[in-house]
Amino acid sequence: LCNFISEQAHQNWRIPCRKLATVGTGLDDAFFVSPARARRMIGPKGPRFLSVGRLTLPQKPLHLIAEALATVNVPWHCWTIIGSGVDEQKLRERVTALGILDKTVFLGMQDSAQVAALLDAHDIALLPSRYESFFLTVYEAAAKGKIVITNDVADIRAYFTGSPSVVVAQGVTPDDYRKAMVYAIEQFGYLQSTVSETADRIKHDYNWSAVAERFLQALR
């Protein structure tokens, strides 16, 4: 699935490198459709944030994102959350306690086409995580030309080095996320000018034809 897992298989279970092949995974074609409208500026009410993923806070600490949003010193318009999970009620309670429920929208599960359309309608994707195997949603958001705030998990830092629009937070704390948000907002124009190159690279590397060819090469 990714180099991170291949390295773990070798280091932790001593599987010889010659017996390992990383082929990756493909993205849904919905994420390869060009954005409806390129966003060069943030609206007058501030950025529209979007998060996608299972609502399991030990892995995806959206409650820390909520704390960052509640205390950030720049205006923001809304935070849309796609997904469901065992910690949804806990996250709702935390958002309420922080006083940002009126600007937070819980949409539940959505299909790929709906997620792609919602990415088009938002400015910045907030995708925090403590651990991943591949972290598909970061690649999906970046393929749709979004600025992404995320963490150094799986292959994220290695793959997106040289891609300024994917902002890797220094850690997993509200302060780390708050600093990343301020940076993304203040540098929005510059970061947005780099998204097309990153999107094109993902479309080249993670379309299903490319994945299938790597799989065939591994079989050969």
Side-chain angles (χ1 to χ4, degrees), residues 134-135 138-139 150-151 153-161 166 168:
F134 180 72
F135 213 176
V138 172
Y139 294 80
T150 188
N151 289 104
V153 293
D155 286 347
I156 293 300
R157 188 181 292 280
Y159 184 80
F160 290 103
T161 293
V166 177
V168 179

Side-chain angles (χ1 to χ4, degrees), residues 2-220:
C2 69
N3 290 326
F4 171 75
I5 294 178
S6 294
E7 291 169 2
Q8 293 244 311
H10 175 64
Q11 294 172 6
N12 296 345
W13 295 287
R14 301 295 185 266
I15 297 174
C17 291
R18 68 181 184 278
K19 294 190 176 185
L20 292 165
T22 300
V23 299
T25 187
L27 275 62
D28 192 293
D29 287 344
F31 298 101
F32 292 158
V33 177
S34 298
R37 177 170 58 89
R39 291 177 178 269
R40 296 298 181 186
M41 296 178 60
I42 294 174
K45 294 183 180 180
R48 297 171 179 265
F49 294 111
L50 180 73
S51 294
V52 185
R54 294 184 305 277
L55 302 187
T56 53
L57 301 183
Q59 180 189 7
K60 300 181 184 292
L62 290 171
H63 59 305
L64 302 184
I65 290 286
E67 290 184 34
L69 287 170
T71 55
V72 71
N73 61 355
V74 293
W76 54 280
H77 186 265
C78 64
W79 179 29
T80 301
I81 301 171
I82 298 173
S84 62
V86 294
D87 289 330
E88 180 173 347
Q89 184 57 36
K90 187 181 296 185
L91 180 58
R92 286 179 179 271
E93 291 171 358
R94 188 61 184 140
V95 166
T96 301
L98 290 167
I100 59 172
L101 181 62
D102 61 326
K103 298 205 292 184
T104 305
V105 180
F106 288 84
L107 289 184
M109 297 299 295
Q110 305 287 316
D111 63 30
S112 293
Q114 291 168 319
V115 173
L118 286 161
L119 282 164
D120 280 342
H122 290 74
D123 301 296
I124 299 172
L126 303 176
L127 303 174
S129 182
R130 295 182 186 276
Y131 55 89
E132 297 287 338
S133 56
F134 180 72
F135 213 176
L136 184 66
T137 51
V138 172
Y139 294 80
E140 291 171 342
K144 287 297 291 178
K146 292 294 102 177
I147 295 169
V148 180
I149 294 174
T150 188
N151 289 104
D152 182 12
V153 293
D155 286 347
I156 293 300
R157 188 181 292 280
Y159 184 80
F160 290 103
T161 293
S163 298
S165 58
V166 177
V167 180
V168 179
Q170 291 300 307
V172 188
T173 70
D175 187 56
D176 291 320
Y177 294 132
R178 187 166 48 247
K179 289 177 180 176
M181 289 175 194
V182 171
Y183 171 76
I185 293 169
E186 291 180 345
Q187 301 296 320
F188 186 84
Y190 161 65
L191 298 179
Q192 194 65 43
S193 72
T194 71
V195 299
S196 294
E197 183 178 351
T198 299
D200 288 344
R201 184 156 63 98
I202 294 171
K203 292 172 185 179
H204 176 270
D205 294 342
Y206 292 105
N207 67 80
W208 278 107
S209 293
V211 173
E213 180 55 34
R214 289 195 291 270
F215 181 72
L216 291 174
Q217 288 175 2
L219 291 181
R220 295 184 193 111

